[in-house]
Amino acid sequence: MELGRAGLAWAAALLLAALGAQVAAAAAGDFDPYRVLGVGRSSSQADIKKAYKRLAREWHPDKNKNPGAEDKFIQISKAYEILSNEEKRANFDRYGDAGESQGYSQHQHRQFHHFHEGFYFDESFFHFPFNSERRDTSDEKYLLHFSHYINEIVPDSFKKPYLIKITSDWCFSCIHIEPVWKEVAQELEVLGVGIGVVHAGYERRLAHHLGAHSTPSILGLINGKITFFHNAVIRENLRQFVENLLPGNLVEKVCSNKNYIRFLSNWKKENKPHVLLFDHMPVVPLLYKLTAFAYRDYLSFGYVYVGLRGTEQLSSQYNINVYTPTMMIFKEHVDRPADVVQARDMKKQLIDDFLSQNKFLMVARLTSQRLFQELCPVKKSHRQRKHCVVLLTGEGDKFAEAYEAFLTFAVANTKDTLKFVHIYNDRQPEFADALLMDEEKYRGKSAVVILERRNNAGKIAYKTLEEAWQGSKEDDFILLDLLDQLRTDPGLLSSETVLADLNDELAPMFLIRWLYSVLDYISDCWDSLFHSNWREMMPLLSLLFSALFILFGTVIVQAFSDSSDTRDSPPSEKEETAAKTEKNDTSFSKESNSRIPRKGFVEVTELTDINYNSNLVRLRPGHMNVVLILSNSTKTILLQKFALEVYTFTGSSSLHFSFLSLDKHREWLEYLLEFAQDAAPIPNQYDKHFLERDYTGYVLALNGHKKYFCLFKPHRSGDEGGTLGSFEDYDSSLPTEGRGKSSCSPGSRSIKNKLHKLSFWMERLLEGSLQRFYIPSWPALD
């Protein structure tokens, strides 16, 4: 009885614990600070702070006139108050407490803590990443990383095209296209298309490398070349996009007897087996085009539409079933196929297995070093010996009989350890001379050599038949006897030599390769120019317009110049004396002060997204960019004062001077100042003016190579006294061209005084005594 009462008590306690957990969960469901700020549970304090500042600026009641802006702003402030405090944040993560019921949660935790002492709860089991419900798990197996893309995907794109999607969190268009993408990706992957997904938030470097500046983006990759998809995301458009990536001459349509004979007869010229697919589809299937692209270096492909008039005789000649797709391989003999496969459903794996076994002719011609290495691989062990039987012959009818006899012998003696090949002596003279030793008995005749490659450096062991190859039965017996002896006596190959690499006979001429490269470049420029890829095109357009401006400017100046000015008269004695005096003064000033500028003005350029990489990210080692922060209203005054302060430092070639518009790039500056100690603290969250913090007059010395910056903050107005006189003296030392008219109004004077003592700060910068603030990487300047 007592046990029963004890059991009821435990059950009641567990029920109360469950009810308490539900109440806590309900309270947590009313207010979620992570959801309000739009950050994940694993976000750092810097990310939380950045999200808060962005949302507070957007929903501040003084700037947002939406009726619900005030309530939204209070929620944002409340969420930040919880997440910025590590204790409150941990309390919310564990118990779902948002702040109002903290005492209740702690009481619940103390009351029921002993129930959890007997077993273990993994907190990660209850940890759900923010926004994870939006991300399709099917994309995870396709996710690409930068090193994986460069080292594996790009080389593999020479065998198959890739379809790549660029996505990110909070991308509602990405969610919209997800069903179509998922369906097309599964369909194309079965056919042999590579699929990839790049998350721009986590793989920003790869997204920038691909040129994807917005999400969602879809692009194709083939032969290492990127092409963007610009149409509506529907199944038909995506399939057509992949098909358009492939070259147009992969598959030749065979529709008559003459056409088929011409197609199959090209085996000798191309040195490839030829493949014919017989099918009842009017258009070439995409699977067959993808297969032709993958094996284009080894095979030539043709397609026969069996429903077309004129193909009946061709189908009956090879006994083709018009209702079943049939694939045939033709090698040296046009009248009969070397291998055939028939299947109602031609799968990629079936086709790959069939073609991989028939990649070479029965007696292929060695036309390149790559082909030689594939047909005659280096031996790996005694059990994996590979011997090549090479016919060294010539071109023309004179050598046809010897070749046909060698081909017949090769067909009758096919073995895994033997490869029969031939080579033209006139096209590969170094190869022939190394094996035949230029002996007189082989001159003008064919010869047979048995060889084995020993290493990749060209070393081989070989034996040459003592007599020239005539193709007689006696020659067959001699060669067959040598091959039998070779099975038991590898030492039969007693001669050794080193072969030079073979010439690539089928490589296109230099002019043709150059023409193809020019056409590809023009195609890339055309695609970038007319598909809004302006960021990538801006450097090229800027260079083009600069060249045109310089060219036409020079022509105009020469056209209007006086011809008499080009004829210089001899200088007089006074002019010569003045020139010498000026030269002596210049040399003296250089010796006395090493920082005297080389020119009478200061070059200050605006830092924009166009010159951001060249002026900062890719700045040469040892160089720094000194950037002045200004607004549109203070631009003229601050630039004049900035030029006066830094003028004496323009003689240093390692310093560059720029200005940054606060109205355009406030977020970039605030992100950078986060890394400076107490440089830009967040003021009181209830101060309505905290979003309008004045950064004008700030100066940053940016070291692009070492990724650090030094900070100059404007001095207070109380420091003005006693320093204005020095500015006047300083102004008088400058050339007339370097000074502008200074404003005498009190407002302009206070703005000018923001840069008070900047020159002393510049001296400490060159001395290297300023504090440095390091950052992991330079943020994008959008």
Side-chain angles (χ1 to χ4, degrees):
M1 189 69 178
E2 292 180 358
L3 291 175
R5 289 179 180 177
L8 289 175
W10 278 101
L14 289 173
L15 180 60
L16 287 174
L19 290 174
Q22 290 180 359
V23 171
D30 294 337
F31 181 80
D32 185 356
Y34 292 105
R35 178 173 52 81
V36 173
L37 292 184
V39 296
R41 289 182 178 267
S42 59
S43 300
S44 63
Q45 284 295 333
D47 295 335
I48 293 172
K49 195 174 185 180
K50 185 176 180 181
Y52 165 67
K53 292 172 67 177
R54 176 177 55 80
L55 291 173
R57 186 182 295 112
E58 178 183 358
W59 291 97
H60 197 280
D62 291 343
K63 292 193 174 184
N64 194 324
K65 303 305 179 184
N66 193 311
E70 185 174 358
D71 294 336
K72 181 70 173 177
F73 183 78
I74 293 174
Q75 285 190 355
I76 293 169
S77 302
K78 177 183 174 184
Y80 179 71
E81 182 180 358
I82 295 172
L83 298 184
S84 61
N85 188 308
E86 291 295 342
E87 184 178 353
K88 293 182 179 181
R89 181 180 180 183
N91 188 56
F92 178 84
D93 290 341
R94 290 174 182 169
Y95 316 116
D97 178 63
E100 300 91 347
S101 58
Q102 183 176 358
Y104 174 79
S105 297
Q106 291 176 351
H107 174 70
Q108 288 292 109
H109 174 62
R110 289 194 298 267
Q111 184 176 357
F112 299 107
H113 179 73
H114 62 278
F115 291 124
H116 304 299
E117 292 175 352
F119 49 92
Y120 171 71
F121 280 105
D122 186 3
E123 291 184 4
S124 63
F125 179 77
F126 300 99
H127 183 148
F128 299 97
F130 187 78
N131 203 30
S132 61
E133 66 275 6
R134 290 188 176 183
R135 197 177 304 154
D136 193 348
T137 55
S138 63
D139 282 348
E140 292 182 359
K141 65 177 181 178
Y142 302 125
L143 287 177
L144 301 180
H145 306 286
F146 186 82
S147 59
H148 176 225
Y149 172 82
I150 295 297
N151 298 325
E152 298 182 25
I153 302 300
V154 172
D156 200 38
S157 68
F158 289 85
K159 298 179 183 177
K160 64 180 180 182
Y162 273 82
L163 190 66
I164 301 175
K165 178 183 69 172
I166 316 295
T167 185
S168 64
D169 288 336
W170 296 105
C171 173
F172 297 101
S173 299
C174 300
I175 301 174
H176 180 70
I177 69 171
E178 195 61 38
V180 179
W181 167 264
K182 186 175 181 180
E183 177 188 358
V184 174
Q186 292 176 350
E187 179 183 349
L188 294 179
E189 187 179 22
V190 174
L191 299 180
V193 178
I195 305 297
V197 175
V198 177
H199 196 289
Y202 303 115
E203 286 293 333
R204 189 173 300 176
R205 180 184 179 190
L206 178 54
H208 179 74
H209 176 79
L210 296 174
H213 303 294
S214 62
T215 56
S217 295
I218 296 178
L219 57 90
L221 174 70
I222 189 169
N223 291 332
K225 177 184 175 183
I226 297 171
T227 304
F228 276 85
F229 175 77
H230 299 287
N231 295 327
V233 183
I234 58 177
R235 175 180 176 275
E236 291 75 14
N237 288 347
L238 287 172
R239 281 182 59 95
Q240 189 61 44
F241 173 68
V242 171
E243 195 162 349
N244 292 339
L245 292 175
L246 300 169
N249 58 348
L250 286 173
V251 181
E252 182 177 345
K253 288 190 176 182
V254 178
C255 52
S256 65
N257 291 331
K258 292 182 180 179
N259 189 13
Y260 114 83
I261 294 175
R262 179 190 58 79
F263 171 74
L264 296 180
S265 299
N266 283 334
W267 68 267
K268 196 168 189 178
K269 178 182 178 182
E270 298 175 1
N271 195 36
K272 297 177 182 178
H274 283 55
V275 186
L276 274 182
L277 175 64
F278 296 81
D279 204 349
H280 59 277
M281 301 293 293
V283 296
V284 182
L286 179 58
L287 172 61
Y288 195 55
K289 289 185 178 181
L290 293 169
T291 303
F293 178 76
Y295 291 91
R296 67 190 184 281
D297 293 335
Y298 302 97
L299 304 164
S300 293
F301 293 82
Y303 182 74
V304 181
Y305 170 40
V306 294
L308 188 66
R309 238 178 236 184
T311 60
E312 298 88 352
Q313 183 179 353
L314 183 60
S315 300
S316 61
Q317 179 179 349
Y318 295 112
N319 194 21
I320 300 298
N321 183 356
V322 296
Y323 300 104
T324 304
T326 304
M327 186 175 291
M328 292 184 171
I329 292 276
F330 292 85
K331 295 186 177 180
E332 282 88 350
H333 299 101
V334 178
D335 54 341
R336 61 181 184 275
D339 205 351
V340 181
V341 63
Q342 279 187 341
R344 289 190 176 274
D345 189 11
M346 281 282 187
K347 298 289 186 181
K348 181 179 183 299
Q349 186 62 45
L350 175 65
I351 297 176
D352 287 342
D353 294 340
F354 177 69
L355 297 181
S356 60
Q357 298 173 5
N358 296 279
K359 292 197 305 183
F360 304 106
L361 296 170
M362 297 301 298
V363 183
R365 181 161 61 91
L366 298 181
T367 56
S368 65
Q369 184 67 19
R370 179 189 63 83
L371 189 59
F372 180 44
Q373 292 173 351
E374 286 198 58
L375 290 172
C376 306
V378 177
K379 72 167 185 175
K380 296 181 180 179
S381 65
H382 293 290
R383 295 182 179 181
Q384 296 180 350
R385 290 182 177 276
K386 299 287 185 180
H387 297 100
C388 270
V389 184
V390 186
L391 173 68
L392 293 93
T393 185
E395 299 182 70
D397 298 336
K398 176 182 177 182
F399 303 94
E401 184 178 352
Y403 168 77
E404 290 296 336
F406 188 75
L407 175 61
T408 303
F409 182 89
V411 173
N413 293 275
T414 55
K415 294 182 179 64
D416 292 338
T417 58
L418 290 177
K419 285 291 183 181
F420 293 87
V421 296
H422 72 286
I423 197 169
Y424 288 155
N425 297 339
D426 296 339
R427 299 195 183 187
Q428 304 290 346
E430 295 183 3
F431 187 93
D433 293 343
L435 296 178
L436 301 181
M437 300 296 182
D438 200 21
E439 293 191 23
E440 193 66 30
K441 61 181 177 181
Y442 298 116
R443 193 174 301 277
K445 298 179 181 179
S446 301
V448 173
V449 177
I450 305 172
L451 63 85
E452 178 185 49
R453 292 182 64 224
R454 294 294 173 86
N455 58 33
N456 292 319
K459 183 178 180 181
I460 64 166
Y462 71 98
K463 180 175 181 59
T464 306
L465 268 65
E466 295 182 1
E467 300 297 332
W469 177 267
Q470 303 292 337
S472 62
K473 290 185 178 181
E474 183 179 356
D475 292 340
D476 289 349
F477 288 134
I478 295 174
L479 180 57
L480 186 60
D481 183 57
L482 285 175
L483 294 177
D484 289 337
Q485 295 180 38
L486 190 61
R487 293 180 188 175
T488 57
D489 183 17
L492 184 66
L493 307 180
S494 55
S495 302
E496 290 187 351
T497 188
V498 177
L499 297 176
D501 289 349
L502 274 70
N503 303 323
D504 193 350
E505 301 177 15
L506 302 180
M509 298 174 60
F510 172 77
L511 182 61
I512 297 177
R513 294 201 304 270
W514 179 82
L515 181 61
Y516 285 157
S517 300
V518 171
L519 292 176
D520 289 341
Y521 183 76
I522 294 175
S523 176
D524 292 342
C525 293
W526 182 271
D527 183 71
S528 299
L529 186 64
F530 287 95
H531 288 102
S532 305
N533 195 6
W534 294 104
R535 290 194 181 190
E536 301 295 330
M537 289 297 295
M538 282 305 297
L540 180 62
L541 294 176
S542 176
L543 179 63
L544 179 62
F545 283 112
S546 299
L548 292 176
F549 179 79
I550 294 173
L551 178 62
F552 286 105
T554 304
V555 173
I556 293 174
V557 169
Q558 289 181 351
F560 286 94
S561 62
D562 189 1
S563 61
S564 62
D565 292 342
T566 59
R567 297 190 298 270
D568 297 333
S569 58
S572 62
E573 294 182 3
K574 292 183 178 180
E575 292 176 345
E576 204 170 302
T577 304
K580 289 181 179 179
T581 304
E582 183 179 353
K583 183 175 181 182
N584 293 334
D585 293 343
T586 303
S587 62
F588 174 76
S589 63
K590 285 184 178 179
E591 292 174 0
S592 60
N593 191 350
S594 61
R595 287 203 302 264
I596 290 297
R598 298 190 300 262
K599 46 187 178 285
F601 61 93
V602 181
E603 293 182 0
V604 186
T605 59
E606 182 176 3
L607 194 63
T608 64
D609 57 342
I610 298 175
N611 60 11
Y612 182 64
N613 283 337
S614 58
N615 286 4
L616 176 58
V617 179
R618 298 176 182 171
L619 208 59
R620 287 181 294 173
H623 287 238
M624 299 188 74
N625 195 342
V626 182
V627 181
L628 168 67
I629 309 300
L630 48 77
S631 60
N632 292 335
S633 59
T634 61
K635 181 176 181 179
T636 304
I637 299 173
L638 285 180
L639 276 179
Q640 291 178 356
K641 183 61 177 176
F642 182 70
L644 293 174
E645 290 288 327
V646 304
Y647 179 76
T648 56
F649 301 92
T650 56
S652 174
S653 60
S654 62
L655 291 180
H656 309 269
F657 301 95
S658 305
F659 69 89
L660 184 79
S661 174
L662 186 62
D663 303 318
K664 300 177 183 177
H665 307 294
R666 174 180 285 269
E667 289 190 10
W668 179 88
L669 177 63
E670 290 180 345
Y671 173 81
L672 213 62
L673 294 180
E674 292 286 346
F675 296 93
Q677 296 179 0
D678 299 329
I682 294 184
N684 191 322
Q685 58 183 348
Y686 298 106
D687 182 6
K688 65 179 183 179
H689 299 294
F690 82 97
L691 295 173
E692 300 177 359
R693 184 175 179 85
D694 184 18
Y695 295 108
T696 57
Y698 277 56
V699 178
L700 289 83
L702 309 173
N703 190 314
H705 179 68
K706 293 187 176 181
K707 296 184 179 64
Y708 72 81
F709 66 93
C710 301
L711 178 62
F712 171 85
K713 291 194 292 184
H715 287 260
R716 295 186 299 272
S717 58
D719 297 332
E720 294 173 10
T723 60
L724 295 176
S726 63
F727 291 151
E728 294 173 2
D729 296 339
Y730 178 68
D731 294 348
S732 62
S733 66
L734 287 175
T736 306
E737 299 83 0
R739 298 200 306 266
K741 294 182 179 181
S742 60
S743 175
C744 298
S745 62
S748 61
R749 175 167 296 184
S750 63
I751 295 174
K752 273 188 175 183
N753 288 337
K754 287 188 173 187
L755 299 180
H756 173 53
K757 295 185 179 180
L758 178 61
S759 59
F760 299 105
W761 182 83
M762 290 290 298
E763 289 183 358
R764 292 184 60 194
L765 175 67
L766 295 180
E767 292 171 359
S769 59
L770 290 176
Q771 183 178 3
R772 298 177 179 181
F773 304 105
Y774 288 87
I775 63 172
S777 62
W778 294 111
L781 189 68
D782 298 326

